Amino acid sequence: MKVGFVGLGIMGRPMAKNLVRAGYELVVNDFNKEAVADLVSMGAQAASSNKEVASQCEVLITMLPNSPHVRTVALGEDGLVEGFKEGSILIDMSSIDPVESKKIAADLAAKGIDMLDAPVSGGEPKAIDGTISVMVGGKKETFDKYCDILEPMAGSVVYVGEIGSGNVAKLANQIIVAVNIAAVSEALTFAKKAGADPQLVYEAIRGGLAGSTVLDAKAPMMMDGNYKPGFRIELHIKDLTNALNAGHSIASPLPLTGQLMEIMQGLKADGCEKEDHSAIVKYYEKISGTSIVK
C-alpha cells in the first residue's frame, strides 16, 4: 500500500522511517528538504506539494506542530483536499485542539474524505524505537481498517472513541505528565532544602506508590542538570494551551493545568523554552534558592 506522510520533524521523521522499514511505499513532503532527502535515501518518494502527495495515496498521515498547520495542510491552497480522491483517509497524528480536529474532520467529510485523529506520546526516543503510544479517535470501522498502518510506529495503539477523542486522551496525558514533573521537582527540591540527598530520596521512593514512569525518566535528568530535549517546554506549552482552550469550551475547570502553564511561561521568559520539560525543576530551584544538581 502506498502511504503519504507530511511532516518530517523531530517525531515525524523517525515515524516515517519505521513505516519504510515495515515495507510501506511512502510518498513524503516537508519544508525541510534535508529530512525529505533522508527518507528518499531509504526508498521513499518525494512529492513537490501536499496536493501531489494526496493524489498518489489512499492513506495520508500528517505529523504537524499545531491546529492551524493541520488545517492549512489538509484544506488550504494546494493542500491535501485538492489531491484526495473520494474514499481517501487522513490520519492526523499531530497533537492539536480536539475541537479543531472535529471541525477539520467535518470539512473533509463534506468532500467524502474520512479522518482519524491519532496523536502520540513518548517523545523522540520512542518515535525512533517504534514504541510510541497512539490514541485514536474516529469511526470504529475506519480504525479497524487502518490500524495496522500505525503498528510499525507504535508499542501501543488504542481506540478511544469518536473523532476528537484521540486528542482529548493526549491532552489528558499531557496534563498528568506536566503535573507529575512539577511534583517530582517540588519534592526533590524540598528534600535538598531539608538537608537530604535527592538521589537517595529518589531511590527510596521510586519503588513505592510515588514511583512512576515520569519519576524514573525525569528525576535522573534533573539531578544531572541534563535538559537535552526529549520533549521541549515550548511544545508542552502548546499542549497545555490546547487543554485550557478545550476545558474552557466545555466549562471544565483545570486549575492545576493553569498553574503549570504559568510555571512554563516563567521558564520561557527565562529562555528555557527549547529545553526538556524536566527543566520545570529550574523554577523550583529559582524560587527556593536551592539546586538539586549533583
Coordinates of all heavy atoms in Angstrom, one line a residue, residues 91-185:
I91 N -5.1 10.4 8.4 CA -4.7 10.0 9.8 C -3.9 11.1 10.3 O -2.7 11.2 10.0 CB -4.0 8.6 9.9 CG1 -4.9 7.5 9.2 CG2 -3.8 8.3 11.4 CD1 -4.2 6.2 9.2
D92 N -4.4 12.0 11.1 CA -3.7 13.1 11.7 C -3.1 12.7 13.0 O -3.8 12.5 14.0 CB -4.6 14.4 11.8 CG -3.8 15.5 12.4 OD1 -2.6 15.6 12.1 OD2 -4.4 16.3 13.3
M93 N -1.8 12.6 13.1 CA -1.1 12.2 14.3 C -0.5 13.3 15.1 O 0.2 13.2 16.0 CB 0.0 11.1 13.9 CG -0.6 9.9 13.2 SD 0.6 8.6 12.9 CE 0.7 7.9 14.6
S94 N -0.8 14.5 14.6 CA -0.4 15.8 15.4 C -1.2 15.9 16.7 O -2.3 15.3 16.8 CB -0.8 17.0 14.5 OG -0.5 16.8 13.1
S95 N -0.6 16.6 17.6 CA -1.3 16.9 18.9 C -1.9 18.3 18.8 O -1.2 19.3 18.8 CB -0.3 16.8 20.0 OG 0.2 15.5 20.2
I96 N -3.3 18.3 18.6 CA -4.0 19.6 18.4 C -5.2 19.7 19.2 O -5.5 18.7 20.0 CB -4.3 19.8 16.9 CG1 -5.4 18.8 16.4 CG2 -3.1 19.6 16.0 CD1 -5.9 19.1 15.0
D97 N -5.9 20.8 19.1 CA -7.1 21.0 19.9 C -8.2 20.1 19.4 O -8.5 20.0 18.2 CB -7.5 22.5 19.7 CG -8.7 22.9 20.5 OD1 -9.5 22.0 20.9 OD2 -8.9 24.1 20.8
P98 N -8.8 19.3 20.3 CA -9.8 18.3 19.8 C -11.0 19.0 19.2 O -11.7 18.4 18.3 CB -10.2 17.6 21.1 CG -9.7 18.4 22.2 CD -8.5 19.1 21.7
V99 N -11.3 20.2 19.6 CA -12.4 21.0 18.9 C -12.1 21.2 17.5 O -13.0 21.0 16.6 CB -12.7 22.3 19.7 CG1 -13.8 23.1 18.9 CG2 -13.1 22.0 21.1
E100 N -10.9 21.6 17.2 CA -10.4 21.8 15.8 C -10.4 20.5 15.0 O -10.7 20.5 13.8 CB -9.1 22.5 15.8 CG -8.6 22.9 14.4 CD -9.5 23.9 13.6 OE1 -10.5 24.4 14.2 OE2 -9.2 24.2 12.5
S101 N -10.0 19.4 15.7 CA -10.0 18.1 15.0 C -11.4 17.8 14.4 O -11.5 17.3 13.3 CB -9.6 17.0 16.0 OG -8.2 16.9 16.1
K102 N -12.4 18.0 15.3 CA -13.8 17.8 14.8 C -14.1 18.6 13.7 O -14.8 18.2 12.7 CB -14.7 18.0 16.0 CG -14.5 17.0 17.1 CD -15.5 17.3 18.3 CE -15.3 16.3 19.4 NZ -16.2 16.5 20.5
K103 N -13.7 19.9 13.7 CA -14.1 20.8 12.6 C -13.4 20.4 11.3 O -14.0 20.4 10.2 CB -13.7 22.2 13.0 CG -14.6 22.8 14.1 CD -14.1 24.3 14.4 CE -14.9 24.9 15.5 NZ -14.5 26.2 15.9
I104 N -12.1 20.1 11.4 CA -11.4 19.7 10.2 C -12.0 18.4 9.6 O -12.2 18.2 8.4 CB -9.9 19.5 10.5 CG1 -9.2 20.8 10.8 CG2 -9.1 18.8 9.3 CD1 -7.8 20.7 11.4
A105 N -12.3 17.4 10.5 CA -12.9 16.2 10.1 C -14.3 16.4 9.4 O -14.6 15.8 8.4 CB -13.1 15.2 11.3
A106 N -15.1 17.4 9.9 CA -16.3 17.7 9.3 C -16.2 18.3 7.9 O -16.9 18.0 6.9 CB -17.1 18.6 10.2
D107 N -15.2 19.2 7.8 CA -14.9 19.8 6.5 C -14.4 18.8 5.4 O -14.8 18.8 4.3 CB -13.8 20.9 6.6 CG -14.3 22.1 7.4 OD1 -15.6 22.3 7.5 OD2 -13.5 22.9 7.9
L108 N -13.6 17.8 5.9 CA -13.2 16.7 5.0 C -14.3 15.8 4.6 O -14.5 15.3 3.5 CB -12.0 16.0 5.6 CG -10.7 16.7 5.7 CD1 -9.7 15.9 6.5 CD2 -10.1 17.0 4.4
A109 N -15.2 15.5 5.6 CA -16.3 14.6 5.4 C -17.2 15.1 4.3 O -17.8 14.3 3.6 CB -17.0 14.3 6.7
A110 N -17.4 16.4 4.3 CA -18.2 17.1 3.3 C -17.7 16.8 1.9 O -18.5 16.9 0.9 CB -18.3 18.6 3.5
K111 N -16.4 16.4 1.7 CA -15.8 16.1 0.4 C -15.6 14.6 0.3 O -14.8 14.2 -0.6 CB -14.5 16.9 0.3 CG -14.8 18.4 0.4 CD -13.5 19.2 0.2 CE -13.7 20.7 0.3 NZ -14.5 21.2 -0.8
G112 N -16.2 13.8 1.1 CA -16.1 12.4 1.0 C -14.8 11.8 1.5 O -14.4 10.7 1.2
I113 N -14.1 12.5 2.4 CA -12.8 12.1 3.0 C -13.0 11.8 4.5 O -13.5 12.6 5.2 CB -11.7 13.1 2.7 CG1 -11.6 13.4 1.2 CG2 -10.4 12.7 3.3 CD1 -11.0 14.7 0.9
D114 N -12.6 10.6 4.9 CA -12.7 10.3 6.3 C -11.4 10.7 7.0 O -10.4 10.9 6.4 CB -12.9 8.7 6.5 CG -13.6 8.4 7.8 OD1 -13.8 9.3 8.6 OD2 -13.9 7.2 7.9
M115 N -11.5 10.8 8.4 CA -10.3 11.2 9.2 C -10.3 10.5 10.5 O -11.3 10.2 11.1 CB -10.4 12.7 9.4 CG -9.3 13.3 10.3 SD -9.4 15.1 10.4 CE -8.5 15.4 11.9
L116 N -9.1 10.2 10.9 CA -8.8 9.7 12.3 C -7.9 10.7 13.0 O -7.0 11.2 12.3 CB -8.2 8.3 12.3 CG -8.9 7.1 11.7 CD1 -8.0 5.9 11.7 CD2 -10.2 6.8 12.6
D117 N -8.2 11.1 14.2 CA -7.2 11.8 15.0 C -6.4 10.8 15.9 O -7.0 10.1 16.6 CB -7.8 13.0 15.8 CG -8.6 12.6 16.9 OD1 -9.5 11.7 16.7 OD2 -8.4 13.1 18.1
A118 N -5.1 10.8 15.7 CA -4.3 9.8 16.3 C -3.0 10.3 16.9 O -1.9 10.0 16.5 CB -4.0 8.7 15.3
P119 N -3.1 11.3 17.9 CA -1.9 11.8 18.5 C -1.1 10.8 19.2 O -1.6 9.7 19.6 CB -2.4 12.9 19.4 CG -3.8 12.4 19.8 CD -4.3 11.7 18.5
V120 N 0.2 11.1 19.5 CA 1.1 10.1 20.1 C 1.7 10.7 21.4 O 1.8 11.9 21.6 CB 2.2 9.8 19.1 CG1 1.6 9.4 17.7 CG2 3.2 10.9 18.9
S121 N 2.3 9.7 22.1 CA 3.0 10.1 23.4 C 4.3 9.2 23.4 O 4.2 8.1 23.0 CB 2.1 9.8 24.6 OG 2.9 10.1 25.8
G122 N 5.3 9.8 24.0 CA 6.6 9.0 24.1 C 7.8 9.8 23.8 O 8.9 9.4 24.2
G123 N 7.7 10.8 23.0 CA 8.9 11.6 22.7 C 9.7 11.0 21.6 O 9.5 9.9 21.1
E124 N 10.8 11.7 21.3 CA 11.7 11.3 20.2 C 12.3 9.9 20.4 O 12.3 9.1 19.4 CB 12.8 12.3 20.0 CG 13.7 12.0 18.8 CD 14.9 13.0 18.7 OE1 15.0 13.8 19.6 OE2 15.6 12.9 17.6
P125 N 12.8 9.5 21.6 CA 13.4 8.2 21.7 C 12.4 7.1 21.4 O 12.8 6.1 20.7 CB 13.7 8.1 23.2 CG 13.9 9.6 23.6 CD 12.9 10.3 22.8
K126 N 11.2 7.2 21.8 CA 10.2 6.1 21.4 C 9.7 6.2 20.0 O 9.4 5.2 19.4 CB 9.0 6.2 22.4 CG 9.3 5.8 23.8 CD 8.1 5.7 24.7 CE 8.4 5.2 26.1 NZ 8.8 3.8 26.1
A127 N 9.8 7.4 19.4 CA 9.5 7.5 18.0 C 10.6 6.8 17.2 O 10.3 6.1 16.2 CB 9.4 9.0 17.5
I128 N 11.8 6.9 17.6 CA 12.9 6.2 16.9 C 12.8 4.7 17.1 O 13.0 3.9 16.2 CB 14.3 6.7 17.5 CG1 14.5 8.2 17.1 CG2 15.4 5.8 17.0 CD1 15.7 8.8 17.8
D129 N 12.5 4.3 18.3 CA 12.3 2.8 18.6 C 11.1 2.2 18.0 O 11.0 1.0 18.0 CB 12.3 2.6 20.1 CG 13.6 3.0 20.8 OD1 14.6 3.1 20.1 OD2 13.7 3.1 22.0
G130 N 10.1 3.0 17.6 CA 8.8 2.5 17.2 C 8.0 2.0 18.3 O 7.2 1.1 18.2
T131 N 8.1 2.7 19.5 CA 7.3 2.2 20.7 C 6.4 3.4 21.2 O 6.1 3.3 22.4 CB 8.3 1.7 21.8 OG1 9.2 2.8 22.1 CG2 9.0 0.5 21.3
I132 N 6.1 4.4 20.4 CA 5.2 5.4 20.9 C 3.8 4.8 21.2 O 3.4 3.8 20.8 CB 5.0 6.5 19.9 CG1 4.6 6.0 18.5 CG2 6.3 7.4 19.8 CD1 4.4 7.0 17.4
S133 N 3.1 5.5 22.1 CA 1.7 5.2 22.3 C 0.8 6.1 21.4 O 1.0 7.3 21.3 CB 1.3 5.5 23.8 OG 2.1 4.7 24.7
V134 N -0.2 5.5 20.8 CA -1.1 6.2 19.9 C -2.5 6.1 20.4 O -3.0 5.0 20.7 CB -1.0 5.6 18.4 CG1 -1.8 6.4 17.5 CG2 0.5 5.5 18.0
M135 N -3.1 7.2 20.5 CA -4.5 7.3 21.0 C -5.4 7.8 19.8 O -5.2 8.8 19.2 CB -4.6 8.3 22.1 CG -3.7 8.0 23.3 SD -3.0 9.4 24.1 CE -1.4 9.6 23.3
V136 N -6.4 7.0 19.4 CA -7.1 7.2 18.2 C -8.6 7.5 18.3 O -9.3 6.8 19.1 CB -6.9 6.0 17.2 CG1 -7.5 6.3 15.8 CG2 -5.5 5.5 17.1
G137 N -9.0 8.5 17.7 CA -10.4 8.9 17.6 C -10.9 8.8 16.2 O -10.2 9.1 15.2
G138 N -12.2 8.5 16.0 CA -12.8 8.4 14.7 C -13.8 7.3 14.6 O -14.2 6.7 15.7
K139 N -14.3 7.0 13.5 CA -15.2 5.8 13.3 C -14.5 4.5 13.6 O -13.4 4.3 13.1 CB -15.7 5.8 11.9 CG -16.6 7.0 11.5 CD -16.9 6.9 10.0 CE -17.6 8.2 9.5 NZ -17.9 8.2 8.1
K140 N -15.1 3.7 14.4 CA -14.5 2.4 14.8 C -14.2 1.6 13.5 O -13.1 0.9 13.5 CB -15.4 1.6 15.7 CG -14.8 0.3 16.2 CD -13.6 0.5 17.1 CE -13.2 -0.7 17.9 NZ -12.9 -1.9 17.1
E141 N -15.0 1.6 12.5 CA -14.8 0.7 11.4 C -13.6 1.3 10.6 O -12.8 0.5 10.0 CB -16.0 0.7 10.4 CG -16.5 2.0 10.0 CD -17.6 2.6 10.8 OE1 -17.6 2.3 12.1 OE2 -18.4 3.3 10.3
T142 N -13.4 2.6 10.6 CA -12.2 3.2 10.0 C -10.9 2.8 10.7 O -9.9 2.4 10.1 CB -12.3 4.7 9.9 OG1 -13.5 5.0 9.2 CG2 -11.2 5.3 9.1
F143 N -11.0 2.9 12.0 CA -9.9 2.5 12.9 C -9.5 1.0 12.6 O -8.3 0.7 12.4 CB -10.2 2.6 14.3 CG -9.2 2.0 15.3 CD1 -8.0 2.6 15.5 CD2 -9.5 0.8 15.9 CE1 -7.1 2.0 16.4 CE2 -8.6 0.2 16.8 CZ -7.3 0.8 17.0
D144 N -10.5 0.1 12.6 CA -10.2 -1.3 12.4 C -9.6 -1.6 11.0 O -8.7 -2.4 10.9 CB -11.6 -2.1 12.5 CG -12.1 -2.2 13.9 OD1 -11.3 -1.9 14.8 OD2 -13.3 -2.4 14.0
K145 N -10.0 -0.8 10.0 CA -9.5 -1.0 8.7 C -8.0 -0.5 8.5 O -7.2 -1.1 7.8 CB -10.3 -0.2 7.7 CG -9.9 -0.4 6.2 CD -10.9 0.4 5.3 CE -10.5 0.2 3.8 NZ -11.4 0.9 2.9
Y146 N -7.6 0.6 9.3 CA -6.3 1.2 9.0 C -5.3 1.1 10.2 O -4.2 1.5 10.1 CB -6.5 2.6 8.6 CG -7.2 2.8 7.3 CD1 -8.5 3.2 7.2 CD2 -6.5 2.6 6.1 CE1 -9.1 3.4 6.0 CE2 -7.1 2.8 4.9 CZ -8.4 3.2 4.9 OH -9.1 3.3 3.6
C147 N -5.7 0.4 11.3 CA -4.9 0.4 12.5 C -3.6 -0.3 12.2 O -2.5 0.0 12.9 CB -5.6 -0.1 13.7 SG -6.0 -1.9 13.6
D148 N -3.5 -1.3 11.3 CA -2.3 -2.0 11.0 C -1.2 -1.0 10.5 O 0.0 -1.3 10.8 CB -2.5 -3.0 10.0 CG -3.3 -4.2 10.5 OD1 -3.5 -4.3 11.7 OD2 -3.7 -5.1 9.7
I149 N -1.6 0.1 9.9 CA -0.6 1.0 9.4 C 0.2 1.7 10.6 O 1.3 2.1 10.5 CB -1.2 2.1 8.5 CG1 -1.8 1.4 7.2 CG2 -0.3 3.2 8.1 CD1 -2.6 2.3 6.4
L150 N -0.5 1.8 11.7 CA 0.0 2.5 12.8 C 1.0 1.6 13.6 O 1.9 2.1 14.3 CB -1.1 3.0 13.8 CG -2.1 3.9 13.1 CD1 -3.2 4.2 14.1 CD2 -1.5 5.2 12.7
E151 N 0.8 0.4 13.6 CA 1.6 -0.6 14.4 C 3.1 -0.5 14.3 O 3.8 -0.7 15.2 CB 1.0 -2.0 14.3 CG -0.4 -2.1 14.9 CD -1.0 -3.5 14.8 OE1 -0.4 -4.3 14.1 OE2 -2.1 -3.6 15.3
P152 N 3.6 -0.4 13.0 CA 5.1 -0.3 12.9 C 5.7 0.9 13.6 O 6.9 0.9 13.9 CB 5.3 -0.2 11.4 CG 4.1 -0.8 10.8 CD 3.0 -0.4 11.7
M153 N 4.9 1.9 13.9 CA 5.4 3.1 14.6 C 5.2 3.0 16.1 O 5.7 3.9 16.8 CB 4.7 4.3 14.1 CG 4.9 4.6 12.6 SD 4.0 6.0 12.0 CE 2.3 5.4 11.9
A154 N 4.5 2.0 16.6 CA 4.0 2.1 18.0 C 4.1 0.9 18.8 O 4.2 -0.2 18.3 CB 2.5 2.5 17.9
G155 N 4.2 1.1 20.1 CA 4.2 0.0 21.0 C 2.8 -0.3 21.5 O 2.4 -1.3 22.0
S156 N 1.9 0.8 21.4 CA 0.5 0.7 21.8 C -0.3 1.5 20.9 O 0.0 2.7 20.6 CB 0.4 1.2 23.3 OG -0.9 1.4 23.6
V157 N -1.4 1.0 20.4 CA -2.4 1.7 19.6 C -3.8 1.4 20.2 O -4.2 0.2 20.2 CB -2.4 1.2 18.1 CG1 -3.4 2.0 17.3 CG2 -1.0 1.4 17.5
V158 N -4.4 2.4 20.7 CA -5.7 2.3 21.5 C -6.7 3.1 20.8 O -6.6 4.3 20.7 CB -5.5 2.6 23.0 CG1 -6.8 2.5 23.7 CG2 -4.4 1.7 23.6
Y159 N -7.9 2.5 20.5 CA -9.0 3.3 20.1 C -9.8 3.9 21.3 O -10.1 3.2 22.2 CB -10.0 2.3 19.3 CG -11.3 3.0 18.9 CD1 -11.2 3.9 17.8 CD2 -12.5 2.8 19.5 CE1 -12.4 4.6 17.4 CE2 -13.6 3.4 19.1 CZ -13.6 4.3 18.0 OH -14.7 4.9 17.6
V160 N -10.0 5.2 21.2 CA -10.6 5.9 22.3 C -12.0 6.2 22.1 O -12.8 6.3 23.1 CB -9.8 7.2 22.6 CG1 -10.2 7.9 23.8 CG2 -8.3 6.9 22.7
G161 N -12.5 6.5 20.9 CA -13.9 6.9 20.7 C -14.0 7.7 19.4 O -13.2 7.7 18.5
E162 N -15.0 8.5 19.4 CA -15.4 9.3 18.2 C -14.3 10.3 17.9 O -13.4 10.6 18.7 CB -16.7 10.0 18.4 CG -16.6 11.1 19.5 CD -18.0 11.8 19.8 OE1 -19.0 11.2 19.3 OE2 -18.0 12.8 20.4
I163 N -14.4 10.9 16.7 CA -13.3 11.9 16.3 C -13.1 13.0 17.3 O -14.1 13.5 17.9 CB -13.7 12.5 14.9 CG1 -12.5 13.3 14.3 CG2 -14.9 13.4 15.0 CD1 -11.4 12.4 13.8
G164 N -11.9 13.3 17.6 CA -11.5 14.3 18.6 C -11.1 13.6 19.9 O -10.4 14.2 20.7
S165 N -11.5 12.3 20.1 CA -11.2 11.6 21.4 C -9.8 11.3 21.5 O -9.2 11.2 22.6 CB -12.1 10.3 21.5 OG -13.4 10.6 21.5
G166 N -9.1 11.1 20.4 CA -7.6 10.9 20.4 C -6.9 12.0 21.1 O -6.1 11.9 21.9
N167 N -7.3 13.2 20.6 CA -6.6 14.4 21.2 C -7.1 14.7 22.6 O -6.3 15.3 23.3 CB -6.8 15.6 20.2 CG -5.8 15.7 19.1 OD1 -4.6 15.8 19.4 ND2 -6.2 15.5 17.9
V168 N -8.3 14.4 22.9 CA -8.7 14.5 24.3 C -7.8 13.6 25.2 O -7.3 14.1 26.3 CB -10.2 14.1 24.5 CG1 -10.5 14.0 26.0 CG2 -11.1 15.1 23.8
A169 N -7.6 12.4 24.8 CA -6.7 11.5 25.5 C -5.3 12.0 25.6 O -4.6 12.0 26.7 CB -6.7 10.1 24.9
K170 N -4.8 12.6 24.5 CA -3.4 13.2 24.5 C -3.3 14.3 25.5 O -2.4 14.4 26.2 CB -3.0 13.6 23.1 CG -1.7 14.3 23.0 CD -0.5 13.5 23.5 CE 0.8 14.2 23.6 NZ 1.3 14.5 22.3
L171 N -4.3 15.2 25.5 CA -4.3 16.4 26.4 C -4.4 15.9 27.8 O -3.7 16.5 28.7 CB -5.4 17.3 26.1 CG -5.2 18.0 24.7 CD1 -6.4 19.0 24.5 CD2 -3.9 18.7 24.6
A172 N -5.2 14.9 28.1 CA -5.2 14.3 29.5 C -3.9 13.8 29.9 O -3.4 14.0 31.0 CB -6.3 13.2 29.5
N173 N -3.2 13.1 28.9 CA -1.8 12.6 29.2 C -0.9 13.8 29.5 O -0.1 13.7 30.4 CB -1.3 11.9 27.9 CG 0.1 11.4 28.0 OD1 0.3 10.3 28.6 ND2 1.0 12.1 27.5
Q174 N -1.0 14.9 28.7 CA -0.1 16.0 28.9 C -0.3 16.7 30.2 O 0.6 17.2 30.8 CB -0.2 16.9 27.7 CG 0.3 16.3 26.4 CD 1.7 15.8 26.5 OE1 2.0 14.7 27.0 NE2 2.7 16.6 26.0
I175 N -1.6 16.8 30.7 CA -1.9 17.3 32.0 C -1.2 16.5 33.1 O -0.5 17.1 34.0 CB -3.4 17.4 32.2 CG1 -4.0 18.4 31.3 CG2 -3.7 17.7 33.7 CD1 -5.6 18.4 31.2
I176 N -1.4 15.2 33.0 CA -0.8 14.3 34.0 C 0.7 14.4 34.0 O 1.4 14.5 35.1 CB -1.3 12.9 33.8 CG1 -2.8 12.8 34.1 CG2 -0.5 11.9 34.7 CD1 -3.4 11.5 33.6
V177 N 1.3 14.4 32.9 CA 2.8 14.5 32.8 C 3.3 15.8 33.4 O 4.3 15.8 34.1 CB 3.3 14.3 31.3 CG1 4.8 14.6 31.2 CG2 3.0 12.9 30.8
A178 N 2.7 16.9 33.0 CA 3.2 18.2 33.5 C 3.1 18.3 35.0 O 4.0 18.7 35.7 CB 2.3 19.3 32.8
V179 N 1.9 17.9 35.5 CA 1.7 18.0 37.0 C 2.7 17.0 37.7 O 3.2 17.3 38.8 CB 0.3 17.7 37.4 CG1 0.1 17.6 38.9 CG2 -0.7 18.8 36.8
N180 N 2.9 15.9 37.1 CA 3.8 14.9 37.7 C 5.3 15.4 37.7 O 6.0 15.2 38.7 CB 3.7 13.6 36.9 CG 4.1 12.3 37.7 OD1 4.8 12.4 38.7 ND2 3.7 11.2 37.3
I181 N 5.7 16.0 36.6 CA 7.1 16.6 36.6 C 7.2 17.7 37.7 O 8.2 17.7 38.3 CB 7.4 17.1 35.2 CG1 7.5 16.0 34.2 CG2 8.8 17.8 35.2 CD1 7.7 16.4 32.8
A182 N 6.2 18.5 37.8 CA 6.2 19.5 38.8 C 6.3 18.9 40.2 O 7.0 19.4 41.1 CB 5.0 20.4 38.7
A183 N 5.5 17.9 40.4 CA 5.5 17.2 41.7 C 6.9 16.7 42.1 O 7.4 16.8 43.2 CB 4.5 16.1 41.8
V184 N 7.6 16.0 41.1 CA 8.9 15.5 41.3 C 9.9 16.6 41.6 O 10.7 16.6 42.5 CB 9.4 14.7 40.0 CG1 10.9 14.3 40.1 CG2 8.5 13.5 39.8
S185 N 9.8 17.7 40.8 CA 10.6 18.9 41.0 C 10.4 19.5 42.4 O 11.4 19.8 43.1 CB 10.3 20.0 40.0 OG 10.5 19.5 38.7

